[in-house]
Amino acid sequence: MAQQINIIQEKQDNILRINKWKFITWLFIISIVMLFASQTSAYLVRRAEGNWVEFTVPIIFYYSTAVLVLSSVFLHLAYLAAKKDKLVQLKTFISIAFAAGLTFLVMQYYGWQDLQTQGVFLKGNPSGSFFYVLTGLHGFHLVTGLFVILFAFIAAFQTKINAKELNRLEVCNTYWHFLDLLWVYLFVFLLYFR
Amino acid sequence: MAAVTAHVADVHAHEEHEHHELSFVRKYIFSEDHKTIAKQYLISGIIWAVIGGLMSVVFRLQLGFPNLDMAWLKPILGQWVSISAEGVGKLDPNFYLALVTMHGTIMVFFVLTAGLSGTFSNFLIPLQIGARDMASGFINMLSYWFFFLSSMVMFVSIFVETGPAGGGWVVYPPLSALADANPGSGIGMTLWLVAMALFIVSSLLGGINYVTTVINLRTRGMSFDKLPLTIWAFTFTAILGILAFPVLFSAALLLIFDRSFGTSFFLSEIYVNGQALPNQGGSPILFQHLFWFLGHPEVYIIILPALGITSEVIATNSRKPIFGYKAMIFSMAGIMFLAFIVWAHHMFVTGMNPFLGSVFMLLTLIIAVPSAVKAFNYITTLWRGNIVFTPAMLFAIGLVSFFVSGGLTGIILGNSALDIQLHDTYFVVAHFHIVMGAAAIFGMLAGVYHWFPKMFGRMMNAKMGYAHFWLTFISSYLVFFPMHYIGIAGFPRRYYQWSGFATFDSYADLNAFITVAAIISVAAQAIFISNFVYSIFKGKKAPANPWNSNTLEWTTDNPGHGNWPGEIPTVYRWPYDYSKPNSAVDFIPQNIPYSSTPESNLPHENEMIADEKEIEKLEFDRSIPD
Ligand code: HEM
Ligand SMILES: [Cu+2]
């Protein structure tokens, strides 16, 4: 009996079989989560040891967070458009999402400049160093995310994305939403455990 | 959905056609075929093992014969051997440290991680689950070439003027963070970090591919409860890697910042030559936490594939079903889970809270339970089997022996009170060389002897295999067993020589003995390597299934790109139907349906005949994945 159940599951497994690229994306996401989990726990362990200089987080980081969330929203709109085969909308929304992502990076850069005028440098107390490393590491992943959007963008212009061929866009969206969420987590973390 | 799949399959059919006229470069160098990539990993691993092994001979000579004239090594080691006025050559102490560091790094990461997982996960996963190739051949190829690049960087680092990294394979700061601390902490250490970063990328790409392939590309009927234990082991290994390697990356990244950008993550209040460094507020212990969070899972990344290979080899050559198939899976899962919560047993003497020490001690000792389950299952599988002593079988049994004797000393070290005495002595060196070094190498060698016929289509010479086994087995014990004694006597690790301590003089003979045994064990590998190279070209042609084994890879003769020339076989039974009562043959491969073996079926298996039609109806995308 137990065997039988197994076989039935096996069959369903085939019908529901998850696209391998999506699966690969999720595994990548897991490894990135581990990277940031280790960084933030190192942060907490180090912070608990004292000798920790506090500083105010420049206001521009709040705005950049909003911009990144917005870019995720537009990417989702792009997905909805693709699902309904509205290809013009798809291209517009993807472009806006890409531009917002780029804007986010530029704003992060200005955030760093503001930090430096405040006197917080990469060199110095680990509280500041961690801030740069965490934001920088996230920024690096965001650049890879921009490339993924770029690929989806090119695919959209070659009309390779439509209601029947959504995998590419879905992979792109999963990754981008993840990076967005990751930033929100990091930002709240950095604010809370200043 | 079905239409889409059909369409995709069509496209692939075309591609497959084009694949036939692959250029030499695409076929043997930038290959996307998992079997070629596996061989690339194997051969790179063997080359690294030779380099790492020869390094150990050099530093063992230094330890066993501290007054030896090393002038004859001058042509190879150059500036690292200095000649005194009397013409006596001496090994540079800093280079001794560099050799130990490189030996550890090479063996742990390049041989027993890349060489072992890279070879056998790549070779066996698609063949044993019935897939045409890995989920993504391209990512697989990238994985190898990142490893190659990492190898190159590490190799170059051996030749830089200040020498390779010298802070031990664990690269603890501040030693590794300050260029003034040791010549190897200069450019050598930078290259080490770059190489490891590339290595981590390679491991992640590989591991992600392995897991995806196992989950997504199994053939018809290959449900999880029919997977060979090798596949379970490789999957758990890959999951460990995906979770642990990013943490090592974290540690390496912060170390890079400390070294090159002046941050103070791991540095605080340090004086060099009477001058205070500006670094304030860092914590070197933090590095140890990050490192061992990877470091401990890493040792299981090394041993689990070896254990998986052993399961397969022992069951096949005992002509008996593996004892406790499910118990094996659950104990591997248990080991995997526990591997993440015991890391601080490497840090008992870092001044951590004794209460925390007790918690980690308890968790550490619990690992002995699943480990023992595995050991007993191997022994009970062997018990009253019709054992066929192939070279692979001997190595697999050797692994069990090492795993047991090394595991026992682990239990001793796991007691935080005992570890205060034993930490950083040769007792630890003995422990991990037996349980990890010897055991995993034996697993790897068992795998090579067992799957060589499938990899290269030829047999290895068995007589040379036996000679190789006995020499290696005996000399390994002769090297590592005495180390327990000198460890208990208090010999610290990573010392260039002990001749300055009168108490240690009485052990000088034992140290010389170890060195002689070590040279024999390294020399014995020449038998293996000549056998390996000779057999690739001149070995006896291998039959399709030389060991009468049940798993799917033996159903395809000389697999080309795509593995099975026609249909991929369908799987109906588990992989361990050896010596089944009432069966005319002593093995029934996984692709034989129960309907064709009525004489040996058990009652519940007769009921499963009805389901076979269901299995056969399953639709699959049979193309070679991109
Ligand atoms: C019963 C299971 C085991 C227990 C309780 C155990 C316990 C320990 C402990 C407490 C240490 C730290 C000793 C010290 O530095 O003072 C240690 C070191 C080590 N163990 Fe184990 N161990 C076990 C099995 C294994 C296995 C299966 C492997 C590898 C396959 C392994 C590999 C290592 C390595 C590589 C080190 C030393 C790392 C270094 O300091 O360079 N151990 N073990
Ligand atoms: Cu450990």
Side-chain angles (χ1 to χ4, degrees):
Chain A
M1 195 56 212
Q3 302 290 344
Q4 201 150 1
I5 289 166
N6 244 313
I7 286 159
I8 292 164
Q9 275 174 350
E10 175 79 16
K11 213 165 74 180
Q12 283 173 344
D13 172 26
N14 282 313
I15 297 162
L16 295 175
R17 173 163 295 207
I18 172 167
N19 174 286
K20 72 180 187 214
W21 288 109
K22 288 186 197 163
F23 198 84
I24 288 176
T25 311
W26 278 107
L27 291 177
F28 264 112
I29 288 178
I30 290 173
S31 67
I32 298 173
V33 166
M34 285 308 293
L35 178 64
F36 282 91
S38 62
Q39 289 282 338
T40 45
S41 19
Y43 183 101
L44 290 180
V45 169
R46 173 57 199 79
R47 179 173 171 269
E49 285 179 12
N51 188 1
W52 189 260
V53 176
E54 287 192 16
F55 55 88
T56 42
V57 174
I59 196 84
I60 188 163
F61 285 110
Y62 292 87
Y63 299 138
S64 72
T65 308
V67 170
L68 192 60
V69 172
L70 219 61
S71 95
S72 251
V73 170
F74 275 105
L75 208 57
H76 189 65
L77 290 177
Y79 172 69
L80 294 180
K83 241 167 125 175
K84 295 197 203 101
D85 264 336
K86 293 186 181 158
L87 298 184
V88 180
Q89 272 189 23
L90 162 72
K91 288 178 206 166
T92 331
F93 287 142
I94 271 202
S95 317
I96 298 177
F98 184 83
L102 216 57
T103 318
F104 170 81
L105 277 181
V106 175
M107 291 171 87
Q108 295 293 86
Y109 180 74
Y110 280 110
W112 282 2
Q113 304 267 307
D114 288 354
L115 272 176
Q116 294 189 343
T117 44
Q118 255 186 60
V120 178
F121 297 96
L122 176 64
K123 258 188 196 185
N125 191 278
S127 63
S129 312
F130 265 119
F131 197 97
Y132 283 102
V133 170
L134 284 172
T135 48
L137 207 55
H138 176 263
F140 171 77
H141 283 91
L142 209 86
V143 173
T144 64
L146 281 176
F147 274 106
V148 175
I149 297 193
L150 196 66
F151 284 130
F153 180 80
I154 294 169
F157 271 80
Q158 294 169 339
T159 59
K160 279 190 193 150
I161 295 181
N162 50 54
K164 288 206 192 67
E165 294 172 88
L166 279 172
N167 279 339
R168 212 181 294 247
L169 191 61
E170 276 171 4
V171 165
C172 165
N173 279 23
T174 311
Y175 189 50
W176 191 258
H177 294 326
F178 161 71
L179 290 176
D180 184 356
L181 206 71
L182 179 67
W183 171 251
V184 174
Y185 158 72
L186 280 179
F187 188 55
V188 172
F189 177 90
L190 287 169
L191 284 179
Y192 189 75
F193 295 106
R194 239 174 316 149
Chain B
M1 188 67 201
V4 175
T5 327
H7 172 72
V8 172
D10 232 289
V11 174
H12 282 295
H14 287 301
E15 276 181 9
E16 197 192 336
H17 206 72
E18 284 152 28
H19 274 298
H20 279 304
E21 295 112 54
L22 286 175
S23 64
F24 177 84
V25 171
R26 297 281 292 151
K27 199 163 168 198
Y28 295 107
I29 300 176
F30 293 106
S31 170
E32 295 186 11
D33 184 347
H34 71 103
K35 296 182 294 297
T36 310
I37 296 175
K39 290 175 203 168
Q40 290 173 329
Y41 268 115
L42 178 61
I43 290 170
S44 319
I46 291 178
I47 294 172
W48 272 121
V50 170
I51 299 175
L54 291 177
M55 286 176 165
S56 74
V57 171
V58 176
F59 62 70
R60 254 339 297 184
L61 279 175
Q62 165 63 33
L63 293 175
F65 305 99
N67 300 320
L68 184 76
D69 176 10
M70 296 229 194
W72 56 279
L73 277 171
K74 182 100 185 156
I76 307 170
L77 299 183
Q79 49 153 331
W80 300 115
V81 173
S82 56
I83 312 278
S84 68
E86 301 91 64
V88 178
K90 278 248 135 266
L91 188 69
D92 183 274
N94 282 316
F95 193 63
Y96 170 86
L97 292 176
L99 280 177
V100 183
T101 305
M102 281 294 120
H103 168 78
T105 309
I106 289 170
M107 291 304 193
V108 169
F109 293 109
F110 290 10
V111 180
L112 292 177
T113 303
L116 181 57
S117 276
T119 305
F120 290 103
S121 298
N122 260 316
F123 191 74
L124 293 180
I125 287 177
L127 279 169
Q128 289 196 332
I129 66 170
R132 296 243 181 253
D133 206 320
M134 283 289 173
S136 166
F138 180 70
I139 292 186
N140 208 15
M141 177 183 81
L142 272 190
S143 157
Y144 177 76
W145 287 100
F146 267 103
F147 166 62
F148 186 81
L149 210 64
S150 156
S151 291
M152 282 299 114
V153 175
M154 196 61 89
F155 190 70
V156 165
S157 88
I158 300 174
F159 300 99
V160 298
E161 173 139 27
T162 45
W169 77 281
V170 296
V171 296
Y172 286 171
L175 185 55
S176 60
L178 302 171
D180 296 328
N182 170 301
S185 297
I187 177 86
M189 188 64 215
T190 306
L191 292 175
W192 191 97
L193 287 166
V194 172
M196 285 315 296
L198 292 168
F199 185 88
I200 292 167
V201 174
S202 152
S203 288
L204 286 175
L205 292 173
I208 285 172
N209 222 341
Y210 305 151
V211 177
T212 310
T213 309
V214 173
I215 304 282
N216 275 319
L217 269 73
R218 281 165 293 134
T219 183
R220 270 190 219 139
M222 183 60 96
S223 49
F224 280 108
D225 58 350
K226 299 196 188 78
L227 281 181
L229 285 172
T230 34
I231 302 301
W232 277 106
F234 298 148
T235 312
F236 285 137
T237 306
I239 295 173
L240 273 173
I242 291 171
L243 296 177
F245 271 115
V247 182
L248 179 66
F249 191 81
S250 257
L253 187 77
L254 297 184
L255 189 56
I256 291 174
F257 272 99
D258 269 8
R259 290 172 50 80
S260 307
F261 302 101
T263 55
S264 311
F265 292 112
F266 306 130
L267 299 173
S268 186
E269 288 148 40
I270 293 174
Y271 289 80
V272 174
N273 297 329
Q275 293 284 310
L277 296 184
N279 305 79
Q280 275 285 332
S283 158
I285 307 287
L286 180 60
F287 179 86
Q288 296 198 18
H289 281 296
L290 289 173
F291 181 87
W292 285 115
F293 190 86
L294 160 98
H296 186 82
E298 169 65 23
V299 305
Y300 286 99
I301 291 175
I302 288 173
I303 200 70
L304 281 181
L307 293 173
I309 289 170
T310 304
S311 308
E312 193 58 38
V313 172
I314 285 192
T316 303
N317 291 302
S318 302
R319 314 308 296 160
K320 264 182 70 185
I322 190 87
F323 187 90
Y325 173 79
K326 292 238 163 86
M328 288 294 221
I329 298 170
F330 282 116
S331 54
M332 281 196 279
I335 287 176
M336 180 179 83
F337 171 70
L338 288 170
F340 283 107
I341 49 175
V342 299
W343 76 91
H345 64 215
H346 296 274
M347 301 167 59
F348 282 142
V349 297
T350 52
M352 67 199 254
N353 183 329
F355 174 72
L356 206 58
S358 314
V359 173
F360 276 106
M361 173 175 128
L362 182 74
L363 294 169
T364 299
L365 296 183
I366 293 176
I367 296 198
V369 177
S371 306
V373 169
K374 292 197 71 78
F376 282 120
N377 281 350
Y378 291 132
I379 295 166
T380 31
T381 305
L382 289 165
W383 179 253
R384 309 189 76 174
N386 292 324
I387 301 181
V388 188
F389 287 105
T390 61
M393 181 63 162
L394 288 175
F395 276 99
I397 296 172
L399 175 143
V400 176
S401 161
F402 284 122
F403 190 63
V404 172
S405 42
L408 286 175
T409 53
I411 298 174
I412 297 173
L413 290 169
N415 288 279
S416 52
L418 294 176
D419 191 56
I420 294 173
Q421 159 74 10
L422 295 171
H423 177 66
D424 261 352
T425 67
Y426 267 71
F427 194 87
V428 178
V429 178
H431 160 66
F432 72 76
H433 275 92
I434 288 187
V435 75
M436 178 174 79
I441 283 278
F442 270 53
M444 185 168 166
L445 289 169
V448 174
Y449 279 107
H450 195 77
W451 279 285
F452 189 91
K454 192 81 341 183
M455 284 185 176
F456 298 100
R458 292 173 188 271
M459 305 295 285
M460 285 181 85
N461 183 313
K463 291 224 172 59
M464 286 170 88
Y466 295 133
H468 175 217
F469 169 76
W470 286 110
L471 276 172
T472 314
F473 184 71
I474 295 171
S475 58
S476 301
Y477 263 120
L478 291 183
V479 172
F480 299 120
F481 215 81
M483 281 189 187
H484 292 105
Y485 295 107
I486 61 171
I488 293 170
F491 276 70
R493 290 168 82 171
R494 304 200 172 106
Y495 271 36
Y496 168 71
Q497 65 182 25
W498 298 290
S499 48
F501 310 93
T503 31
F504 289 161
D505 287 350
S506 58
Y507 292 94
D509 293 350
L510 199 53
N511 260 320
F513 176 82
I514 293 176
T515 297
V516 174
I519 292 172
I520 296 174
S521 74
V522 171
Q525 306 317 306
I527 304 177
F528 168 72
I529 289 174
S530 37
N531 192 356
F532 183 82
V533 176
Y534 178 84
S535 305
I536 288 180
F537 301 105
K538 293 275 169 65
K540 213 170 75 205
K541 279 261 180 322
N545 189 356
W547 321 119
N548 295 335
S549 191
N550 283 342
T551 38
L552 285 185
E553 75 272 29
W554 307 104
T555 61
T556 171
D557 198 5
N558 253 326
H561 192 42
N563 293 343
W564 282 267
E567 269 282 286
I568 295 182
T570 302
V571 165
Y572 299 97
R573 58 177 80 225
W574 78 327
Y576 300 106
D577 268 346
Y578 292 107
S579 305
K580 206 168 178 192
N582 302 327
S583 167
V585 281
D586 82 337
F587 70 109
I588 312 175
Q590 286 193 277
N591 61 334
I592 307 292
Y594 288 117
S595 50
S596 62
T597 55
E599 67 287 352
S600 64
N601 287 351
L602 300 173
H604 77 273
E605 290 169 345
N606 275 325
E607 284 166 24
M608 284 161 67
I609 292 178
D611 303 328
E612 286 172 358
K613 294 275 165 310
E614 293 292 311
I615 296 178
E616 279 151 22
K617 266 193 260 157
L618 293 174
E619 270 305 319
F620 272 86
D621 173 4
R622 292 303 188 172
S623 53
I624 299 177
D626 45 289

